[in-house]
Amino acid sequence: MLLNNNVTEFILLGLTQDPVKKKIVFAFFLLSYLGTLLGNTLIIVTIKTSRALGSPMYFFLFYLSLSDTWFSTSMAPRMIVDALLKNNTISFSDCIIQVFSFHFFGCLEVLILILMAIDRYVAICKPLHCMSIMNRWVCSVLVALAWVASCVHSSVQIFLTLRLPFCGPNVIDHYLCDLQPLLKLACTDTYVTNLLLVSNSGAICTVGFVMLMFSYVIILHSLRNHSTEGRKKALSTCISHIIVVILFFGPCIFIYTCPTATFPMDKMITVFYTFGTPLIYPLIYTLRNSEVKNAMRKLWSKKLISDDQR
């Protein structure tokens, strides 16, 4: 419920006001978004069509790529268009929707990364019981719970934000609607609300990161008992996951564990995890994963053969 809200739209200052730099920003956003769509779509299609990629790890990777695609799509198209406009405005309702989708898919990504770590733990530490523990029904339920938890997280954020009065200032010093710059415009003391809102995200990022790193320490420790070939394969997969975790959680922890402080580099760090990491993920999971690369080659070969037969 909105309280004393006289603001109907916000003005986004973006990354820069310089016309030349805005064109560079436009090109960067556009190429990053197209690269994200291409890379994640390729992973989604490959996993969906390849019988060799039927393990729980690729089941979760499918939803991670799907989440990445939606995460980028919820923000990137508008930012690309805004980079070409002189005056960037966004309605109050669209701003709230953007905040919700931003945090929903961000939280979903965190939870899916945790599920992938759980799957790696079961596969490496309990290989004989892997298929019975992480069967398709269990994996589907875990993903469904991740969706529900993400919705609850974002709904709480939005509910607390909507109860704040916005009665005058409407200029957001950012290129998207996010909680920290938005709360600065509220016509009341937002310290407690800010702590509740951002600590929510900060806690998810920090606890998730600690859980993931702890689980990978256990996994890497258990690899001592595996054969050289098995150790090499498991190590390659785990390193890919650890790289992804550090790239995603590092910027998020920096942004959301300092609820009352802002830094000049905040916008650039946000650029990294909103555009950089979704673009890098497909490269990490394909270049470091022989099974995915082989499946992609087979998929491409089938396509070429079918095209030649027409």
Side-chain angles (χ1 to χ4, degrees):
M1 181 177 180
L2 299 178
L3 300 177
N4 302 321
N5 185 22
N6 298 323
V7 175
T8 59
E9 65 179 18
F10 296 104
I11 299 173
L12 297 171
L13 295 183
L15 288 175
T16 179
Q17 294 298 307
D18 183 270
V20 176
K21 291 181 180 179
K22 289 186 77 170
K23 292 179 181 179
I24 297 174
V25 170
F26 166 78
F28 172 78
F29 281 178
L30 179 61
L31 292 175
S32 297
Y33 180 56
L34 292 177
T36 298
L37 288 182
L38 178 62
N40 284 292
T41 300
L42 187 58
I43 289 178
I44 290 169
V45 173
T46 301
I47 293 175
K48 202 68 177 176
T49 57
S50 176
R51 294 181 179 178
L53 304 180
S55 66
M57 181 178 74
Y58 298 111
F59 178 83
F60 292 131
L61 179 57
F62 172 85
Y63 282 101
L64 180 66
S65 295
L66 206 60
S67 177
D68 267 339
T69 303
W70 289 333
F71 180 72
S72 296
T73 302
S74 67
M75 300 172 296
R78 184 181 188 98
M79 296 175 200
I80 292 169
V81 174
D82 285 350
L84 292 177
L85 300 178
K86 186 176 181 180
N87 297 315
N88 304 330
T89 60
I90 182 171
S91 68
F92 186 90
S93 57
D94 286 347
C95 182
I96 295 300
I97 291 172
Q98 189 177 73
V99 172
F100 179 87
S101 59
F102 180 75
H103 283 268
F104 176 84
F105 292 116
C107 182
L108 182 61
E109 193 158 328
V110 169
L111 296 177
I112 291 177
L113 286 171
I114 291 174
L115 294 180
M116 293 178 76
I118 293 172
D119 170 65
R120 287 299 83 207
Y121 170 79
V122 174
I124 294 172
C125 299
K126 301 181 181 296
L128 298 179
H129 305 285
C130 178
M131 296 310 297
S132 60
I133 296 175
M134 300 298 291
N135 59 57
R136 185 53 62 96
W137 184 84
V138 170
C139 292
S140 299
V141 170
L142 290 174
V143 170
L145 290 175
W147 278 74
V148 173
S150 299
C151 186
V152 171
H153 161 72
S154 298
S155 297
V156 170
Q157 304 276 85
I158 296 303
F159 175 76
L160 292 174
T161 303
L162 288 177
R163 294 182 62 83
L164 295 172
F166 296 93
C167 55
N170 69 335
V171 178
I172 298 177
D173 186 15
H174 216 299
Y175 64 89
L176 53 75
C177 282
D178 199 5
L179 296 171
Q180 287 161 303
L182 190 60
L183 291 179
K184 291 180 181 179
L185 305 180
C187 303
T188 186
D189 182 12
T190 62
Y191 182 80
V192 175
T193 305
N194 205 342
L195 283 176
L196 291 173
L197 289 169
V198 185
S199 295
N200 187 3
S201 298
I204 290 175
C205 292
T206 305
V207 173
F209 179 75
V210 171
M211 287 176 58
L212 286 167
M213 297 311 295
F214 181 71
S215 68
Y216 282 119
V217 168
I218 296 175
I219 291 171
L220 293 175
H221 179 74
S222 70
L223 288 177
R224 298 182 307 167
N225 303 322
H226 287 65
S227 64
T228 303
E229 184 179 350
R231 190 186 305 124
K232 184 178 179 181
K233 182 179 178 181
L235 192 61
S236 177
T237 302
C238 288
I239 289 175
S240 297
H241 291 188
I242 291 171
I243 293 172
V244 169
V245 167
I246 293 173
L247 289 175
F248 182 78
F249 282 89
C252 288
I253 290 173
F254 179 85
I255 293 293
Y256 292 112
T257 54
C258 302
T260 58
T262 56
F263 302 94
M265 72 284 289
D266 279 4
K267 283 194 282 188
M268 294 310 300
I269 292 174
T270 305
V271 168
F272 179 76
Y273 74 82
T274 54
F275 282 92
T277 50
L279 178 64
I280 296 171
Y281 286 176
L283 296 176
I284 293 174
Y285 281 114
T286 54
L287 295 179
R288 295 190 58 86
N289 192 306
S290 58
E291 290 180 339
V292 175
K293 286 191 289 187
N294 291 335
M296 285 183 176
R297 290 192 192 101
K298 291 179 181 178
L299 178 65
W300 186 249
S301 299
K302 288 180 181 179
K303 185 180 185 304
L304 291 177
I305 293 172
S306 63
D307 288 343
D308 291 339
Q309 293 175 346
R310 289 179 182 176

